Amino acid sequence: MIKLEDVVKTYHMGQFEVRALDGVSLSIRTGEMVAVMGPSGSGKSTLMNLIGCLDVPTSGRYFLDDDEIETLGGNGLAEIRHRKVGFVFQTHNLLPRLTAQDNVELPLLYGGGRRRKARAREALERVGLGDRTTHRPTELSGGQQQRVGIARALVKNPSLLLADEPTGNLDSRSSEDIISILADLNANEGMTVIIVTHERAVAARAGRIVSMIDGAVVSDEDADEWENTP
Amino acid sequence: MSFPSILMTALSSLGANKLRTGLALLGIVIGVAAVISTMSVGRGAQQQIVEDIESLGANLIFVYPSQTPSGVVGTITLQDAYALIDPGNAPAVAQVAPEITAFAQIVAGREGTSNQVRGVTPEYASVRNYEVTSGSFISARHVRNRSDVAVLGAQIARDLYGHRDPVGQPVRIDGRQFTVIGIMKSRGGDNPFGDYEVMAPITTVYFRIESQRTVQGEISVQSVSVQTKEGAPPDDAIRQVTSVLRLRHRIAEGDSDDFIVNSLEETIQTVQDAQNTFVIFLGTIAGISLLVGGIGIMNIMMVSVTERTREIGIRKAMGAKWRDILYQFVSEATLLSLGGGLVGAMAGVGLSTVLDGWNLGDQPLRTVVTLDITAIAVTVAAAIGLFFGIYPAARAANLHPIEALRYE
């Protein structure tokens, strides 16, 4: 369960203070699939970073399950990220030196655990890349790279999967594949999935759509209601 | 992150950029090789000197007159020296060889040189391990009669007489005519000074060349070489010699000695200590290049951290803790310097082996490689890598995950 209460996040850009989030309150239940939409600069990536425990709010409170995130230090955040959060990035952020298998194994290095190789292979099989384990990112297509990125995010079985414009660099066919995988993980494994996107077609696959402008949530609707708004 | 994972990650990062890794390694390789080879040359010189001293003869104790703290200048007479052979007072003493030295003009035909003349007794040859190759050594009769006879070292004999046989030839010492009665065997490389010795009976040198006498009309000597009996502990001999001399010099209980007694072992120890300081000094100078190598590693690590900012961000997003990132970069730097240290150790040992026996002027260069020096050099190299790796690694570990992920 995710609960943000009046969260403010400000950044300093030189002399200017930028209010990336301006009092956001939001609750997301475990097992929901939520799309976050909004123009660039609306604060959706900042929101994702906070929900993903990469950063803490300037003010306000954030609860992830039972943990009060804004009270944690760097290592506490790293621990939560490791246990609960899987990230899928727009630019997939794979390490070019490593094979698909090694990239997927990466998160497991930081938590110990057994059967790392086998678990990495299973994750690749779940995204349909069981035959590409020894390929390096440059030897894979954009869609395949993003699927490796998803495999890396889900290898730890996180309760929360965050995807920041996962289809931003992909053609529509690959986008469809990626969204299907994410929707499938949400439906069959009960993972909470939050997707930041520009694309209505992508957002339409979510059960709930949150729209943001200028660091504030302007609408928060079920998919059915949203379909009917222009 | 487990130790094998850290190691594998570090190795794969280093392997990814082989040229850079190699160049960073080179600084440490040169540093370690320099430390090992300079110290091996120093150790070689040390061993050479110790062997030179040991070649003076085994079981030696030296006795010198000295000044007491209250300012009394001591003398050791010829009688003092011979009193030391008394088996009743000093059972550990086998032989004594008193000696005095004087500087004199040595002339043979048209050849001449200014040289030390050593006044000795017949025991000198056996106590100091000298052998005569032709002719004979100074005898007790020569000493008694203050005979004008001289025994020459191999090199000075060659210098003065060329290829002629000097035995039976005249030699002038400070204008006084002597007869050469013997030539010493060359001592070769281990003690070149011995080959320039000119020896004459101690009485002759004392009365004819130095022209001195003590108040009592006794000969005072400059030093006495005492050979101890085989198997007798040198400390026993030192104690016996001291008590005999104190008795003869009538030194009261509690007063200081007016002489010094040194064993050869002590002398070697003193020289070795001095040499050790020198060897360490050499090693430290060479160690500076190791330090420079360490700074090179730090530089490379800084570049590496900057280049891999995004990788650090990804790892942090995946749950890497502060210490995971720190260990990753520290282990890379340490592996780099440890690898460099091992390669440098091989290069240093190789260089020392090549240098051993290299001819530099008179004496061949001697190098001695010891395990302790090699181990210390490699350990210091690894420690330097660890030290210089910490700062770049801490910078990496301190990066904010979001900023690191955004880095282009």
Side-chain angles (χ1 to χ4, degrees):
Chain A
M1 192 209 55
I2 291 165
K3 190 163 188 223
L4 291 93
E5 291 175 357
D6 198 23
V7 164
V8 173
K9 182 72 192 174
T10 52
Y11 290 111
H12 292 274
M13 310 275 275
Q15 302 171 314
F16 302 102
E17 196 174 74
V18 179
R19 229 163 216 252
L21 289 182
D22 195 2
V24 171
S25 296
L26 188 67
S27 290
I28 296 173
R29 289 184 310 278
T30 306
E32 271 193 286
M33 182 162 172
V34 180
V36 180
M37 297 194 74
S40 12
S42 59
K44 45 193 201 308
S45 288
T46 304
L47 181 67
M48 286 296 256
N49 290 337
L50 287 182
I51 291 175
C53 301
L54 283 170
D55 210 345
V56 288
T58 310
S59 71
R61 308 175 79 187
Y62 168 32
F63 296 91
L64 176 58
D65 299 333
D66 297 325
D67 294 300
E68 193 168 355
I69 300 304
E70 78 273 6
T71 63
L72 298 176
N75 277 334
L77 293 174
E79 181 69 42
I80 300 264
R81 288 199 296 272
H82 181 260
R83 276 209 331 265
K84 297 188 174 170
V85 186
F87 286 97
V88 179
F89 303 97
Q90 178 177 9
T91 51
H92 39 75
N93 276 335
L94 301 175
L95 296 187
R97 280 184 288 110
L98 305 184
T99 61
Q101 160 105 27
D102 289 343
N103 263 296
V104 174
E105 202 187 319
L106 192 67
L108 299 178
L109 292 181
Y110 299 109
R114 296 173 169 280
R115 296 179 54 244
R116 295 204 303 257
K117 298 241 175 289
R119 285 166 68 191
R121 208 170 310 116
E122 283 160 23
L124 278 169
E125 276 161 14
R126 272 160 84 183
V127 298
L129 285 177
D131 55 343
R132 293 284 190 274
T133 52
T134 59
H135 288 61
R136 286 173 205 280
T138 48
E139 295 159 354
L140 299 169
S141 72
Q144 287 171 331
Q145 289 179 31
Q146 193 55 292
R147 278 193 274 163
V148 174
I150 293 174
R152 182 178 63 183
L154 61 83
V155 70
K156 295 173 297 187
N157 279 319
S159 54
L160 177 59
L161 199 64
L162 300 176
D164 193 350
E165 309 218 24
T167 60
N169 291 343
L170 300 178
D171 58 72
S172 56
R173 224 190 101 76
S174 302
S175 298
E176 180 56 32
D177 287 348
I178 296 302
I179 294 305
S180 296
I181 293 170
L182 293 176
D184 184 57
L185 286 168
N186 172 252
N188 297 332
E189 319 247 343
M191 279 183 203
T192 311
V193 176
I194 304 177
I195 308 172
V196 165
T197 184
H198 277 113
E199 295 163 63
R200 287 185 73 88
V202 171
R205 300 289 293 268
R208 176 178 167 194
I209 291 96
V210 173
S211 299
M212 295 184 69
I213 292 174
D214 289 341
V217 174
V218 291
S219 77
D220 184 351
E221 301 163 297
D222 282 347
D224 305 338
E225 300 171 45
W226 178 76
E227 292 277 10
N228 301 326
T229 45
Chain B
M1 204 171 174
S2 66
F3 184 68
S5 312
I6 292 174
L7 213 60
M8 289 307 294
T9 306
L11 279 174
S12 98
S13 310
L14 291 174
N17 204 330
K18 293 195 179 59
L19 179 65
R20 180 191 293 175
T21 302
L23 287 173
L25 223 67
L26 199 58
I28 295 288
V29 168
I30 291 173
V32 169
V35 168
I36 290 178
S37 49
T38 32
M39 288 184 87
S40 80
V41 170
R43 279 277 165 95
Q46 184 178 26
Q47 190 156 325
Q48 181 78 60
I49 289 173
V50 168
E51 279 173 21
D52 285 354
I53 297 173
E54 278 171 346
S55 78
L56 292 177
N59 314 326
L60 274 188
I61 289 172
F62 300 104
V63 186
Y64 310 94
S66 79
Q67 204 169 357
T68 63
S70 50
V72 179
V73 181
T75 55
I76 295 175
T77 64
L78 208 51
Q79 277 77 6
D80 284 337
Y82 282 117
L84 296 176
I85 337 182
D86 180 356
N89 290 330
V93 172
Q95 264 190 320
V96 295
E99 61 177 271
I100 59 175
T101 53
F103 253 93
Q105 208 53 43
I106 318 281
V107 180
R110 270 171 306 187
E111 302 294 331
T113 175
S114 182
N115 205 82
Q116 218 174 35
V117 178
R118 197 179 294 277
V120 298
T121 59
E123 295 83 11
Y124 190 79
S126 70
V127 170
R128 300 297 284 267
N129 260 352
Y130 280 176
E131 269 178 62
V132 175
T133 46
S134 72
S136 58
F137 198 69
I138 290 152
S139 70
R141 202 158 59 86
H142 291 139
V143 173
R144 208 162 43 242
N145 296 346
R146 303 176 192 175
S147 309
D148 293 332
V149 293
V151 174
L152 303 183
Q155 188 57 46
I156 195 164
R158 245 192 319 277
D159 289 354
L160 291 174
Y161 295 95
H163 294 293
R164 287 179 294 143
D165 181 9
V167 176
Q169 297 292 319
V171 61
R172 298 189 82 84
I173 300 177
D174 268 3
R176 189 177 178 88
Q177 177 142 337
F178 283 65
T179 307
V180 178
I181 57 164
I183 305 298
M184 308 304 296
K185 186 179 171 196
S186 171
R187 310 207 31 115
D190 41 294
N191 192 356
F193 303 110
D195 288 348
Y196 285 93
E197 292 245 55
V198 175
M199 284 164 284
I202 191 166
T203 46
T204 318
V205 173
Y206 194 75
F207 293 112
R208 308 284 186 237
I209 298 173
E210 282 269 278
S211 308
Q212 290 182 357
R213 38 188 85 222
T214 56
V215 185
Q216 298 90 347
E218 287 180 355
I219 295 178
S220 68
V221 302
Q222 283 165 358
S223 76
V224 183
S225 308
V226 177
Q227 189 174 38
T228 57
K229 287 219 170 87
E230 203 71 51
D235 288 349
D236 281 4
I238 290 174
R239 213 164 26 247
Q240 291 162 10
V241 165
T242 306
S243 73
V244 169
L245 287 179
R246 285 180 71 91
L247 204 65
R248 287 183 62 86
H249 290 188
R250 298 192 176 85
I251 298 169
E253 190 94 20
D255 283 359
S256 314
D257 297 346
D258 60 355
F259 55 88
I260 294 170
V261 185
N262 259 339
S263 71
L264 191 59
E265 278 168 52
E266 285 173 322
T267 312
I268 289 172
Q269 195 56 54
T270 312
V271 171
Q272 227 160 8
D273 289 349
Q275 284 282 315
N276 264 337
T277 315
F278 180 64
V279 170
I280 288 165
F281 173 71
L282 278 183
T284 311
I285 298 283
I288 291 173
S289 62
L290 203 54
L291 198 70
V292 175
I295 295 169
I297 284 192
M298 182 158 162
N299 195 9
I300 290 291
M301 293 310 295
M302 296 297 282
V303 173
S304 177
V305 167
T306 309
E307 268 187 1
R308 286 153 68 192
T309 301
R310 212 183 166 88
E311 173 186 331
I312 294 160
I314 295 168
R315 287 178 185 273
K316 287 201 156 187
M318 300 299 135
K321 293 200 173 68
W322 187 84
R323 59 155 200 274
D324 292 322
I325 303 295
L326 186 85
Y327 289 169
Q328 181 187 343
F329 284 92
V330 165
S331 63
E332 271 181 41
T334 309
L335 270 182
L336 205 55
S337 57
L338 184 64
L342 291 174
V343 176
M346 284 188 270
V349 171
L351 189 64
S352 304
T353 315
V354 170
L355 284 178
D356 196 28
W358 204 270
N359 240 323
L360 287 174
D362 308 341
Q363 265 188 312
L365 194 64
R366 171 102 71 96
T367 63
V368 176
V369 180
T370 51
L371 192 64
D372 59 340
I373 289 179
T374 314
I376 288 170
V378 174
T379 313
V380 167
I384 278 180
L386 185 70
F387 179 76
F388 284 106
I390 283 175
Y391 178 69
R395 268 185 56 146
N398 286 336
L399 284 171
H400 194 283
I402 293 174
E403 280 158 29
L405 275 171
R406 277 207 207 110
Y407 186 83
E408 293 295 336

